[in-house]
Amino acid sequence: HGHLEPLPDHGEVDVHGGDVFISQKKVGKIKINNVDYETHPGENPVSHLKHLGHVPEDEILSEFKDGQFVDLADNARVMIHGCEVFASHRKSGGSS
């Protein structure tokens, strides 16, 4: 009909001839430290997100969930659906 429309995963299409199909990679759009990034949807290692967002190794990445930021372990994995928000901060604590 002269316009593109997304097809559902595992859906079916009747092909009548002359139909055109275009594929594109699914992406999850996220924010890290107020900057927009794209990554693959599904599980993403925190280490990947830190690399993507140029977060220094000595900082902690936190995810905004249920109205608050929750610190993520460097070896954790995060489920990306799209629109997730992350922020980094310096590690705190220690004795003085």
Coordinates of all heavy atoms in Angstrom, one line a residue:
H1 N 0.8 -1.2 0.0 CA 0.0 0.0 0.0 C 0.9 1.3 0.0 O 0.4 2.3 0.4 CB -0.9 0.0 1.2 CG -1.9 -1.2 1.3 ND1 -2.9 -1.3 0.4 CD2 -1.9 -2.3 2.0 CE1 -3.5 -2.4 0.7 NE2 -2.9 -3.0 1.7
G2 N 2.1 1.1 -0.3 CA 3.0 2.3 -0.4 C 3.6 2.7 0.9 O 4.2 3.8 1.0
H3 N 3.5 1.9 2.0 CA 4.1 2.3 3.2 C 4.6 1.0 3.9 O 4.2 -0.1 3.6 CB 3.1 3.0 4.2 CG 1.9 2.1 4.6 ND1 0.8 1.9 3.8 CD2 1.8 1.4 5.7 CE1 0.0 1.1 4.5 NE2 0.5 0.8 5.6
L4 N 5.6 1.2 4.8 CA 6.2 0.1 5.5 C 5.5 -0.1 6.8 O 5.1 0.9 7.5 CB 7.7 0.4 5.8 CG 8.6 0.6 4.5 CD1 10.0 1.0 4.9 CD2 8.6 -0.7 3.7
E5 N 5.4 -1.3 7.2 CA 4.8 -1.6 8.5 C 5.5 -2.8 9.1 O 5.9 -3.7 8.4 CB 3.3 -1.8 8.5 CG 2.9 -3.0 7.5 CD 1.4 -3.1 7.4 OE1 0.8 -2.3 6.6 OE2 0.8 -4.0 8.1
P6 N 5.8 -2.7 10.4 CA 6.5 -3.8 11.0 C 5.7 -5.1 11.1 O 4.5 -5.1 11.2 CB 6.9 -3.3 12.4 CG 5.8 -2.3 12.7 CD 5.5 -1.7 11.4
L7 N 6.4 -6.2 10.9 CA 5.7 -7.5 11.0 C 6.0 -8.1 12.4 O 7.1 -7.9 13.0 CB 6.3 -8.5 10.0 CG 6.1 -8.0 8.5 CD1 6.8 -9.0 7.6 CD2 4.7 -7.9 8.2
P8 N 5.0 -8.7 13.0 CA 5.2 -9.3 14.3 C 6.2 -10.5 14.3 O 6.3 -11.2 13.2 CB 3.8 -9.8 14.8 CG 3.1 -10.0 13.5 CD 3.7 -9.0 12.5
D9 N 6.9 -10.7 15.4 CA 7.8 -11.9 15.4 C 6.9 -13.1 15.3 O 5.8 -13.2 15.9 CB 8.5 -12.0 16.8 CG 9.6 -10.9 16.9 OD1 10.0 -10.4 15.8 OD2 10.0 -10.6 18.0
H10 N 7.4 -14.1 14.6 CA 6.7 -15.4 14.4 C 5.3 -15.2 13.7 O 4.4 -16.0 13.8 CB 6.5 -16.1 15.7 CG 7.8 -16.3 16.4 ND1 8.8 -17.0 16.0 CD2 8.2 -15.7 17.6 CE1 9.8 -17.0 16.8 NE2 9.5 -16.1 17.8
G11 N 5.1 -14.1 13.0 CA 3.8 -13.8 12.3 C 3.9 -14.4 10.9 O 4.8 -15.0 10.5
E12 N 2.8 -14.3 10.2 CA 2.7 -14.8 8.9 C 2.2 -13.7 7.9 O 1.5 -12.8 8.3 CB 1.6 -16.0 8.8 CG 2.1 -17.2 9.6 CD 1.0 -18.3 9.5 OE1 0.1 -18.3 8.7 OE2 1.2 -19.3 10.3
V13 N 2.6 -13.9 6.7 CA 2.3 -12.9 5.7 C 1.9 -13.6 4.4 O 2.5 -14.6 4.0 CB 3.5 -12.0 5.3 CG1 3.2 -11.0 4.2 CG2 4.0 -11.2 6.6
D14 N 0.8 -13.2 3.8 CA 0.4 -13.7 2.5 C 1.1 -12.9 1.4 O 1.0 -11.7 1.4 CB -1.1 -13.6 2.3 CG -1.9 -14.5 3.2 OD1 -1.4 -15.6 3.5 OD2 -3.1 -14.1 3.6
V15 N 1.8 -13.6 0.6 CA 2.6 -13.0 -0.5 C 1.8 -13.2 -1.8 O 1.5 -14.3 -2.2 CB 4.0 -13.6 -0.6 CG1 4.8 -13.0 -1.8 CG2 4.8 -13.4 0.7
H16 N 1.5 -12.1 -2.5 CA 0.7 -12.1 -3.7 C 1.6 -11.7 -4.9 O 1.1 -11.7 -6.0 CB -0.4 -11.1 -3.6 CG -1.3 -11.4 -2.4 ND1 -2.2 -12.5 -2.4 CD2 -1.4 -10.8 -1.2 CE1 -2.8 -12.5 -1.2 NE2 -2.4 -11.5 -0.5
G17 N 2.8 -11.5 -4.7 CA 3.7 -11.1 -5.8 C 3.8 -9.6 -5.8 O 2.9 -8.8 -5.6
G18 N 5.0 -9.1 -6.1 CA 5.3 -7.7 -6.1 C 5.5 -7.1 -4.7 O 5.7 -5.9 -4.5
D19 N 5.3 -7.9 -3.6 CA 5.5 -7.4 -2.3 C 7.0 -7.2 -2.0 O 7.9 -7.9 -2.5 CB 5.0 -8.4 -1.2 CG 3.5 -8.6 -1.4 OD1 2.8 -7.6 -1.5 OD2 3.1 -9.8 -1.2
V20 N 7.3 -6.2 -1.2 CA 8.7 -5.8 -0.9 C 8.9 -6.0 0.6 O 8.0 -5.5 1.4 CB 9.0 -4.4 -1.3 CG1 10.4 -4.0 -0.9 CG2 8.9 -4.2 -2.8
F21 N 9.9 -6.6 1.0 CA 10.2 -6.8 2.4 C 11.6 -6.2 2.7 O 12.6 -6.4 1.9 CB 10.2 -8.3 2.8 CG 8.9 -8.9 2.7 CD1 8.5 -9.5 1.5 CD2 8.0 -8.9 3.7 CE1 7.2 -10.1 1.3 CE2 6.7 -9.5 3.6 CZ 6.3 -10.0 2.4
I22 N 11.7 -5.5 3.8 CA 13.0 -4.9 4.2 C 13.3 -5.4 5.7 O 12.4 -5.3 6.5 CB 12.9 -3.4 4.2 CG1 12.6 -2.9 2.8 CG2 14.2 -2.7 4.7 CD1 12.3 -1.4 2.7
S23 N 14.5 -5.8 5.9 CA 14.8 -6.2 7.3 C 15.7 -5.1 7.9 O 16.4 -4.4 7.3 CB 15.6 -7.5 7.3 OG 16.8 -7.4 6.7
Q24 N 15.5 -5.0 9.2 CA 16.4 -4.1 10.0 C 16.6 -4.7 11.3 O 15.8 -5.5 11.9 CB 15.8 -2.7 10.1 CG 14.5 -2.6 10.8 CD 13.9 -1.2 10.7 OE1 13.7 -0.7 9.6 NE2 13.7 -0.6 11.9
K25 N 17.8 -4.5 11.9 CA 18.1 -5.0 13.2 C 17.3 -4.4 14.3 O 17.2 -3.1 14.3 CB 19.6 -4.8 13.4 CG 20.2 -5.4 14.6 CD 21.7 -5.2 14.7 CE 22.3 -5.8 15.9 NZ 23.7 -5.6 15.9
K26 N 16.8 -5.2 15.2 CA 16.1 -4.6 16.4 C 17.2 -4.0 17.3 O 18.3 -4.5 17.5 CB 15.4 -5.7 17.1 CG 14.2 -6.2 16.5 CD 13.5 -7.2 17.4 CE 12.3 -7.7 16.8 NZ 11.5 -8.7 17.7
V27 N 16.8 -2.8 17.9 CA 17.7 -2.2 18.8 C 16.9 -1.8 20.0 O 15.7 -1.5 20.0 CB 18.4 -0.9 18.2 CG1 19.3 -1.3 17.1 CG2 17.4 0.1 17.7
G28 N 17.6 -1.7 21.1 CA 17.1 -1.2 22.4 C 17.7 0.1 22.6 O 18.9 0.3 22.7
K29 N 16.9 1.2 22.7 CA 17.4 2.5 22.9 C 17.4 2.7 24.4 O 16.4 2.5 25.1 CB 16.5 3.5 22.2 CG 16.5 3.4 20.7 CD 15.7 4.4 20.0 CE 15.9 4.2 18.5 NZ 15.3 5.2 17.7
I30 N 18.6 3.2 24.9 CA 18.8 3.4 26.3 C 19.5 4.7 26.6 O 20.0 5.3 25.6 CB 19.6 2.2 27.0 CG1 21.0 2.2 26.3 CG2 18.9 0.9 26.8 CD1 21.9 1.2 27.0
K31 N 19.5 5.1 27.8 CA 20.3 6.3 28.2 C 21.3 5.9 29.2 O 21.0 5.2 30.2 CB 19.4 7.4 28.8 CG 18.6 8.3 27.8 CD 18.0 9.5 28.5 CE 17.2 10.3 27.6 NZ 18.0 11.1 26.7
I32 N 22.5 6.4 29.1 CA 23.6 6.2 30.0 C 24.2 7.6 30.3 O 24.6 8.3 29.4 CB 24.7 5.3 29.6 CG1 24.1 3.9 29.2 CG2 25.8 5.1 30.6 CD1 25.1 2.9 28.6
N33 N 24.0 8.1 31.5 CA 24.5 9.4 31.9 C 23.9 10.5 31.0 O 24.7 11.3 30.5 CB 26.1 9.4 32.0 CG 26.6 8.6 33.1 OD1 26.0 8.4 34.1 ND2 27.8 8.1 32.9
N34 N 22.6 10.4 30.7 CA 21.9 11.4 29.9 C 22.3 11.4 28.5 O 22.0 12.4 27.8 CB 22.0 12.8 30.6 CG 21.3 12.9 31.9 OD1 20.2 12.3 32.0 ND2 21.9 13.5 32.8
V35 N 22.9 10.4 28.0 CA 23.3 10.3 26.6 C 22.6 9.1 26.0 O 22.5 8.0 26.6 CB 24.8 10.2 26.4 CG1 25.2 10.0 24.9 CG2 25.6 11.3 27.0
D36 N 22.0 9.3 24.8 CA 21.3 8.2 24.1 C 22.2 7.2 23.5 O 23.2 7.6 22.8 CB 20.3 8.7 23.0 CG 19.2 9.5 23.6 OD1 18.7 9.2 24.7 OD2 18.7 10.5 23.0
Y37 N 21.9 5.9 23.6 CA 22.7 4.8 23.0 C 21.8 3.8 22.5 O 20.6 3.7 22.9 CB 23.7 4.2 24.0 CG 24.8 5.1 24.5 CD1 24.6 5.8 25.7 CD2 25.9 5.2 23.8 CE1 25.6 6.6 26.1 CE2 26.9 6.1 24.2 CZ 26.8 6.8 25.4 OH 27.8 7.6 25.8
E38 N 22.3 2.9 21.6 CA 21.5 1.8 21.1 C 22.3 0.5 21.4 O 23.5 0.5 21.2 CB 21.2 1.9 19.6 CG 20.2 3.0 19.3 CD 20.0 3.1 17.8 OE1 20.6 2.5 17.0 OE2 19.0 3.9 17.5
T39 N 21.6 -0.5 21.8 CA 22.3 -1.8 22.0 C 21.2 -2.9 21.6 O 20.1 -2.6 21.3 CB 22.8 -2.0 23.4 OG1 23.6 -3.2 23.5 CG2 21.7 -2.1 24.4
H40 N 21.7 -4.1 21.6 CA 20.7 -5.2 21.2 C 19.8 -5.5 22.4 O 20.1 -5.4 23.5 CB 21.5 -6.5 20.8 CG 22.3 -7.1 21.9 ND1 23.6 -6.6 22.2 CD2 22.0 -8.0 22.8 CE1 24.1 -7.3 23.2 NE2 23.2 -8.1 23.6
P41 N 18.5 -5.7 22.0 CA 17.5 -6.1 23.1 C 17.9 -7.4 23.7 O 18.6 -8.2 23.1 CB 16.2 -6.1 22.4 CG 16.5 -6.2 20.9 CD 17.9 -5.7 20.7
G42 N 17.4 -7.7 24.9 CA 17.7 -8.9 25.6 C 18.8 -8.7 26.6 O 19.0 -7.6 27.0
E43 N 19.4 -9.8 27.1 CA 20.4 -9.6 28.1 C 21.7 -9.0 27.6 O 22.2 -9.3 26.6 CB 20.8 -11.0 28.7 CG 19.7 -11.6 29.6 CD 20.3 -12.8 30.4 OE1 21.4 -13.2 30.1 OE2 19.6 -13.2 31.3
N44 N 22.1 -8.0 28.4 CA 23.4 -7.3 28.1 C 24.2 -7.3 29.3 O 23.8 -7.0 30.4 CB 23.1 -5.8 27.7 CG 22.7 -5.6 26.3 OD1 23.4 -5.2 25.5 ND2 21.4 -6.0 26.0
P45 N 25.5 -7.7 29.2 CA 26.4 -7.6 30.4 C 26.6 -6.2 30.8 O 26.7 -5.3 29.9 CB 27.7 -8.2 29.9 CG 27.4 -8.9 28.6 CD 26.2 -8.3 28.0
V46 N 26.7 -6.0 32.1 CA 27.0 -4.6 32.6 C 28.3 -4.1 32.0 O 28.4 -2.9 31.7 CB 27.0 -4.6 34.1 CG1 27.5 -3.3 34.7 CG2 25.6 -4.9 34.7
S47 N 29.3 -5.0 31.9 CA 30.5 -4.6 31.3 C 30.4 -4.0 29.9 O 31.0 -3.0 29.5 CB 31.5 -5.7 31.3 OG 31.0 -6.8 30.5
H48 N 29.4 -4.6 29.1 CA 29.2 -4.0 27.8 C 28.5 -2.6 27.8 O 28.9 -1.7 27.1 CB 28.2 -5.0 27.0 CG 27.6 -4.4 25.8 ND1 28.3 -4.1 24.6 CD2 26.3 -4.0 25.5 CE1 27.5 -3.6 23.7 NE2 26.3 -3.5 24.2
L49 N 27.6 -2.5 28.8 CA 26.9 -1.2 28.9 C 27.9 -0.1 29.4 O 27.9 1.0 28.9 CB 25.8 -1.3 29.9 CG 24.6 -2.2 29.4 CD1 23.6 -2.3 30.5 CD2 24.0 -1.8 28.1
K50 N 28.8 -0.5 30.3 CA 29.8 0.5 30.7 C 30.8 0.9 29.6 O 31.1 2.0 29.4 CB 30.6 -0.1 31.9 CG 29.9 -0.2 33.2 CD 30.6 -0.8 34.3 CE 31.7 0.1 34.9 NZ 32.3 -0.4 36.1
H51 N 31.1 -0.1 28.8 CA 32.0 0.2 27.6 C 31.2 1.1 26.6 O 31.8 2.1 26.1 CB 32.4 -1.1 26.9 CG 33.2 -0.9 25.7 ND1 34.6 -0.5 25.7 CD2 32.9 -1.0 24.4 CE1 35.0 -0.4 24.5 NE2 34.0 -0.7 23.7
L52 N 30.0 0.8 26.3 CA 29.2 1.5 25.4 C 29.0 3.0 25.9 O 29.2 3.9 25.1 CB 27.8 0.9 25.3 CG 26.8 1.5 24.4 CD1 27.2 1.3 22.9 CD2 25.4 0.9 24.6
G53 N 28.8 3.2 27.2 CA 28.6 4.5 27.7 C 29.8 5.2 28.2 O 29.8 6.3 28.8
H54 N 31.0 4.6 27.9 CA 32.3 5.2 28.3 C 32.4 5.5 29.8 O 32.9 6.5 30.2 CB 32.5 6.5 27.5 CG 32.4 6.4 26.0 ND1 33.3 5.8 25.2 CD2 31.4 6.8 25.2 CE1 32.9 5.8 24.0 NE2 31.7 6.4 23.9
V55 N 31.9 4.5 30.6 CA 31.9 4.6 32.0 C 33.2 4.1 32.5 O 33.6 2.9 32.2 CB 30.7 3.8 32.6 CG1 30.8 3.8 34.2 CG2 29.4 4.4 32.2
P56 N 34.0 4.9 33.3 CA 35.3 4.4 33.8 C 35.1 3.1 34.6 O 34.1 2.9 35.3 CB 35.8 5.5 34.7 CG 35.0 6.7 34.2 CD 33.7 6.2 33.7
E57 N 36.2 2.3 34.5 CA 36.2 1.0 35.2 C 35.9 1.1 36.7 O 35.4 0.3 37.4 CB 37.5 0.2 35.0 CG 37.6 -0.3 33.6 CD 36.6 -1.4 33.3 OE1 36.4 -2.3 34.2 OE2 36.1 -1.5 32.2
D58 N 36.4 2.2 37.3 CA 36.4 2.4 38.8 C 35.0 3.0 39.2 O 34.9 3.3 40.4 CB 37.5 3.3 39.3 CG 37.5 4.7 38.7 OD1 36.8 4.9 37.7 OD2 38.2 5.5 39.3
E59 N 34.1 3.2 38.3 CA 32.7 3.7 38.7 C 31.7 2.5 38.6 O 31.9 1.5 38.0 CB 32.3 4.8 37.7 CG 33.1 6.1 37.9 CD 32.6 7.3 37.2 OE1 31.5 7.2 36.6 OE2 33.3 8.3 37.2
I60 N 30.6 2.7 39.3 CA 29.5 1.8 39.4 C 28.4 2.3 38.5 O 28.1 3.5 38.4 CB 29.0 1.7 40.8 CG1 30.0 1.1 41.7 CG2 27.7 0.9 40.9 CD1 29.6 1.1 43.2
L61 N 27.8 1.3 37.7 CA 26.7 1.7 36.9 C 25.4 1.3 37.6 O 25.3 0.2 38.3 CB 26.7 0.9 35.6 CG 25.7 1.3 34.5 CD1 26.0 2.7 34.0 CD2 25.8 0.3 33.3
S62 N 24.5 2.2 37.6 CA 23.2 2.0 38.3 C 22.1 2.1 37.3 O 22.1 2.9 36.3 CB 23.0 3.1 39.4 OG 24.0 3.0 40.4
E63 N 21.0 1.3 37.5 CA 19.8 1.4 36.7 C 18.7 2.0 37.4 O 18.4 1.7 38.6 CB 19.4 -0.1 36.2 CG 18.2 -0.1 35.3 CD 17.8 -1.5 34.8 OE1 18.4 -2.5 35.3 OE2 17.0 -1.6 34.0
F64 N 17.9 2.9 36.7 CA 16.8 3.5 37.4 C 15.6 2.5 37.3 O 15.1 2.2 36.2 CB 16.4 4.8 36.6 CG 15.4 5.7 37.4 CD1 15.8 6.3 38.5 CD2 14.1 5.8 36.9 CE1 14.9 7.1 39.2 CE2 13.2 6.6 37.6 CZ 13.6 7.2 38.7
K65 N 15.1 2.0 38.4 CA 14.0 1.1 38.5 C 13.1 1.4 39.6 O 13.6 1.7 40.7 CB 14.5 -0.3 38.7 CG 15.2 -1.0 37.5 CD 15.6 -2.4 37.8 CE 14.6 -3.3 37.1 NZ 15.0 -4.7 37.1
D66 N 11.8 1.4 39.4 CA 10.8 1.7 40.4 C 11.1 2.9 41.2 O 11.0 3.0 42.4 CB 10.8 0.5 41.4 CG 10.4 -0.8 40.7 OD1 9.6 -0.8 39.8 OD2 11.0 -1.9 41.1
G67 N 11.5 4.0 40.5 CA 11.7 5.3 41.1 C 13.0 5.6 41.8 O 13.2 6.6 42.5
Q68 N 13.9 4.6 41.7 CA 15.2 4.8 42.3 C 16.3 4.2 41.5 O 16.1 3.3 40.7 CB 15.2 4.3 43.7 CG 15.0 2.8 43.9 CD 14.9 2.4 45.3 OE1 15.1 3.1 46.2 NE2 14.6 1.1 45.5
F69 N 17.6 4.6 41.8 CA 18.7 4.0 41.1 C 19.2 2.8 41.9 O 19.3 2.9 43.1 CB 19.9 5.0 40.9 CG 19.7 5.8 39.7 CD1 19.1 7.1 39.9 CD2 20.0 5.4 38.4 CE1 18.9 7.9 38.7 CE2 19.8 6.2 37.3 CZ 19.3 7.5 37.5
V70 N 19.4 1.7 41.2 CA 19.9 0.4 41.8 C 21.3 0.1 41.3 O 21.4 0.0 40.0 CB 18.9 -0.7 41.5 CG1 19.4 -2.0 42.1 CG2 17.5 -0.4 42.0
D71 N 22.3 0.0 42.1 CA 23.6 -0.3 41.7 C 23.7 -1.7 41.1 O 23.0 -2.7 41.5 CB 24.6 -0.3 42.9 CG 24.9 1.1 43.4 OD1 24.4 2.1 42.7 OD2 25.5 1.3 44.4
L72 N 24.5 -1.9 40.0 CA 24.6 -3.1 39.3 C 26.1 -3.6 39.5 O 27.0 -2.9 39.4 CB 24.4 -2.9 37.8 CG 23.0 -2.4 37.4 CD1 23.0 -2.0 36.0 CD2 21.9 -3.4 37.7
A73 N 26.2 -4.9 39.7 CA 27.5 -5.5 39.8 C 28.1 -5.6 38.4 O 27.4 -5.8 37.4 CB 27.4 -7.0 40.4
D74 N 29.5 -5.4 38.4 CA 30.1 -5.4 37.1 C 30.0 -6.8 36.3 O 30.0 -6.8 35.1 CB 31.6 -5.2 37.3 CG 31.9 -3.7 37.5 OD1 31.1 -2.9 37.3 OD2 33.0 -3.4 38.0
N75 N 29.7 -7.9 37.0 CA 29.6 -9.2 36.4 C 28.1 -9.5 36.1 O 27.8 -10.6 35.7 CB 30.3 -10.3 37.1 CG 29.7 -10.4 38.5 OD1 28.9 -9.7 39.0 ND2 30.2 -11.5 39.2
A76 N 27.2 -8.6 36.4 CA 25.8 -8.8 36.2 C 25.3 -8.7 34.8 O 26.1 -8.2 33.9 CB 24.9 -7.9 37.1
R77 N 24.1 -9.1 34.5 CA 23.5 -9.0 33.1 C 22.2 -8.2 33.3 O 21.5 -8.4 34.3 CB 23.3 -10.3 32.5 CG 24.6 -11.1 32.3 CD 24.4 -12.5 31.7 NE 24.1 -12.4 30.3 CZ 25.1 -12.3 29.3 NH1 26.3 -12.0 29.6 NH2 24.7 -12.3 28.1
V78 N 21.9 -7.4 32.4 CA 20.7 -6.5 32.5 C 19.8 -6.8 31.3 O 20.3 -6.9 30.1 CB 21.0 -5.0 32.5 CG1 19.8 -4.2 32.5 CG2 21.9 -4.7 33.7
M79 N 18.5 -7.0 31.5 CA 17.5 -7.2 30.4 C 17.2 -5.9 29.8 O 16.7 -5.0 30.5 CB 16.3 -7.9 30.9 CG 15.3 -8.3 29.8 SD 16.0 -9.5 28.6 CE 16.1 -10.9 29.5
I80 N 17.5 -5.7 28.5 CA 17.2 -4.5 27.8 C 15.9 -4.7 26.9 O 15.9 -5.6 26.1 CB 18.4 -4.1 26.9 CG1 19.6 -3.8 27.7 CG2 18.0 -2.8 26.0 CD1 19.5 -2.7 28.7
H81 N 14.9 -3.9 27.1 CA 13.7 -3.9 26.3 C 13.7 -2.6 25.5 O 13.1 -2.5 24.4 CB 12.5 -3.9 27.2 CG 12.4 -5.1 28.1 ND1 12.1 -6.4 27.6 CD2 12.7 -5.3 29.4 CE1 12.1 -7.2 28.6 NE2 12.5 -6.6 29.7
G82 N 14.3 -1.5 26.0 CA 14.3 -0.2 25.4 C 13.8 0.8 26.4 O 13.0 0.5 27.2
C83 N 14.3 2.0 26.4 CA 14.0 3.1 27.3 C 14.5 2.9 28.7 O 14.1 3.7 29.6 CB 12.4 3.3 27.4 SG 11.7 3.6 25.8
E84 N 15.5 2.0 28.9 CA 16.1 1.9 30.2 C 17.0 3.1 30.5 O 17.6 3.6 29.5 CB 16.9 0.6 30.4 CG 16.0 -0.6 30.6 CD 15.5 -1.2 29.3 OE1 15.9 -0.7 28.2 OE2 14.6 -2.1 29.3
V85 N 17.2 3.5 31.7 CA 18.0 4.6 32.1 C 19.1 4.2 33.1 O 18.8 3.5 34.1 CB 17.1 5.8 32.7 CG1 18.0 6.9 33.2 CG2 16.1 6.3 31.7
F86 N 20.3 4.6 32.8 CA 21.4 4.2 33.6 C 22.2 5.4 34.0 O 22.3 6.4 33.2 CB 22.4 3.2 32.9 CG 21.7 1.9 32.5 CD1 21.1 1.8 31.2 CD2 21.6 0.8 33.4 CE1 20.4 0.6 30.9 CE2 21.0 -0.3 33.0 CZ 20.4 -0.4 31.7
A87 N 22.9 5.4 35.1 CA 23.8 6.5 35.5 C 25.0 5.8 36.2 O 24.9 4.8 36.9 CB 23.1 7.5 36.4
S88 N 26.1 6.5 36.1 CA 27.3 6.0 36.8 C 27.7 6.9 38.0 O 27.3 8.1 38.0 CB 28.5 5.8 35.9 OG 28.9 7.0 35.4
H89 N 28.4 6.4 38.9 CA 28.9 7.2 40.0 C 30.1 6.5 40.6 O 30.4 5.3 40.4 CB 27.8 7.4 41.1 CG 27.3 6.1 41.7 ND1 27.9 5.6 42.9 CD2 26.3 5.3 41.4 CE1 27.3 4.4 43.2 NE2 26.3 4.2 42.3
R90 N 30.9 7.3 41.3 CA 32.1 6.8 41.9 C 31.8 5.8 43.0 O 30.7 6.0 43.7 CB 33.0 7.9 42.5 CG 33.5 8.8 41.4 CD 34.8 9.4 41.8 NE 35.4 10.3 40.8 CZ 36.1 9.9 39.8 NH1 36.4 8.6 39.6 NH2 36.5 10.8 38.9
K91 N 32.6 4.8 43.2 CA 32.4 3.9 44.4 C 32.5 4.7 45.6 O 33.4 5.4 45.8 CB 33.4 2.7 44.3 CG 33.1 1.8 43.1 CD 34.1 0.7 43.0 CE 33.9 -0.1 41.7 NZ 34.8 -1.2 41.6
S92 N 31.6 4.4 46.6 CA 31.7 5.1 47.9 C 32.0 4.1 48.9 O 32.0 2.9 48.7 CB 30.4 5.8 48.2 OG 29.4 4.9 48.2
G93 N 32.2 4.6 50.1 CA 32.5 3.7 51.3 C 34.0 3.6 51.6 O 34.8 4.5 51.1
G94 N 34.3 2.6 52.3 CA 35.7 2.5 52.7 C 35.9 3.2 54.1 O 35.1 3.9 54.6
S95 N 37.0 2.9 54.7 CA 37.2 3.4 56.0 C 38.2 4.6 55.9 O 39.0 4.7 55.0 CB 37.8 2.4 57.0 OG 39.0 1.8 56.4
S96 N 38.1 5.5 56.9 CA 38.9 6.7 56.9 C 39.8 6.8 58.1 O 39.6 6.1 59.0 CB 38.1 8.0 56.7 OG 37.0 8.0 57.6

